[in-house]
Amino acid sequence: MDYITAIRKQKPLIHNITNIVVANFSANGLLAIGASPVMANAPEEVEEMVSHANALVLNIGTCTQTQVRAMLLAGKTANDQGVPVILDPVGVGATSFRKQAVKQILGEINVSVIRGNTGEIAILGEVGSEMKGVDASTDHINPNIAKQVSRRYGSIVITTGETDVITDGERYSLCKNGVPMLPRVTGSGCLLTAIIGAFVSVADDRYHASVNAVSSYGAASEIAMETVSGPGAFSAALMDSLYNLTNQDVTKRKRIQMFTAQED
């Protein structure tokens, strides 16, 4: 399936309840790929807003108790409406408030996709106990941790790092697309989560949509990096790359290994 063309034809509305650091970057990235972003987080309107959306993205990066309440209201409405929910548990291990917020979200909402760095997913898998900050992670890639989290919550789980892991609890894929500059740009992971929402919103198979979202975003970053030398220019180049990205670009560049349950 050509997900990029589907997004540009359908222009799915992606409702983001996200953090103040990345809202603009995420909105521009969604516009660049062809989706339609809305950044609404008032509890008074989120239920109505998400009822018009094609995907809901929840990002706890700068969450408050009011925002958590909005996420719960929106998430439950999304579940009732059949709208996929994508969760980014930013810095989940950094504070007890974040841990409790994510625990409550995962306990009360059916989350379709969870996207986090290796440290965050390790926390959800209860194999990591602390983080120094919201970007803290580990270099160790273990597909079994992501599979464990996937099975626990019934969600597709995406662990991003030097090698990305995407799993539905049985099958898993390893993606090696991307560039070292991505972690140098605030919000690059959060934008990926939003992009995943766009891909999932136009697909019947959310696992394959997630794999393609990760490889497409990685390919776009590689194209962007070809003409720049620093994070400032890279941010702008990434927007241009997402705007001009084609399925052919992704097919040419994708570096993915896919494994079935039998091969594990």
Side-chain angles (χ1 to χ4, degrees):
M1 176 178 173
D2 185 342
Y3 293 92
I4 297 170
T5 297
I7 290 169
R8 289 170 182 162
K9 285 183 177 179
Q10 297 180 34
K11 296 179 172 58
L13 180 64
I14 311 302
H15 180 184
N16 297 261
I17 303 179
T18 191
N19 76 72
I20 59 174
V21 179
V22 306
N24 180 265
F25 192 63
S26 295
N28 282 337
L30 284 168
L31 285 170
I33 198 72
S36 179
V38 60
M39 324 306 270
N41 59 14
E44 295 80 5
E45 70 169 350
V46 292
E47 292 169 291
E48 182 180 359
M49 186 66 76
V50 79
S51 67
H52 302 301
N54 300 105
L56 171 66
V57 176
L58 306 178
N59 180 309
I60 70 158
T62 56
C63 66
T64 63
Q65 192 59 58
T66 298
Q67 193 178 60
V68 172
R69 183 161 67 91
M71 290 180 178
L72 294 171
L73 290 170
K76 291 173 183 178
T77 301
N79 285 171
D80 291 342
Q81 299 285 340
V83 175
V85 180
I86 296 85
L87 173 65
D88 194 329
V90 179
V92 63
T95 67
S96 57
F97 175 69
R98 289 172 189 263
K99 289 181 182 178
Q100 181 57 38
V102 170
K103 180 179 180 181
Q104 191 173 8
I105 291 168
L106 290 172
E108 298 184 25
I109 297 171
N110 178 18
V111 174
S112 301
V113 183
I114 302 169
R115 200 293 308 172
N117 63 36
T118 52
E120 291 157 353
I121 299 304
I123 294 290
L124 297 185
E126 298 182 353
V127 296
S129 59
E130 63 182 41
M131 301 175 70
K132 295 180 180 178
V134 297
D135 295 321
S137 64
T138 174
D139 293 331
H140 182 59
I141 301 295
N142 186 345
N144 289 327
I145 296 173
K147 289 168 70 175
Q148 176 184 330
V149 176
S150 177
R151 291 167 183 162
R152 174 177 297 177
Y153 297 111
S155 309
I156 293 162
V157 170
I158 301 168
T159 304
T160 51
E162 185 175 348
T163 299
D164 305 318
V165 179
I166 307 99
T167 182
D168 63 0
E170 298 299 330
R171 300 169 293 176
Y172 72 94
S173 297
L174 302 179
C175 178
K176 294 184 179 294
N177 288 108
V179 294
M181 187 62 73
L182 281 167
R184 299 284 185 176
V185 175
T186 298
S188 62
C190 299
L191 174 54
L192 171 57
T193 304
I195 294 289
I196 291 164
F199 275 67
V200 167
S201 74
V202 300
D204 294 324
D205 189 324
R206 291 173 180 173
Y207 171 69
H208 282 111
S210 297
V211 172
N212 277 271
V214 173
S215 61
S216 296
Y217 189 70
S221 73
E222 292 169 3
I223 295 169
M225 197 65 220
E226 289 175 354
T227 59
V228 301
S229 59
F234 176 75
S235 295
L238 180 60
M239 293 296 151
D240 292 344
S241 183
L242 288 169
Y243 179 80
N244 292 300
L245 192 67
T246 67
N247 188 57
Q248 291 74 20
D249 292 329
V250 179
T251 300
K252 178 182 177 181
R253 290 175 176 269
K254 66 181 179 182
R255 290 174 286 157
I256 298 173
Q257 292 176 280
M258 303 187 77
F259 302 87
T260 66
Q262 292 75 21
E263 294 173 324
D264 186 18

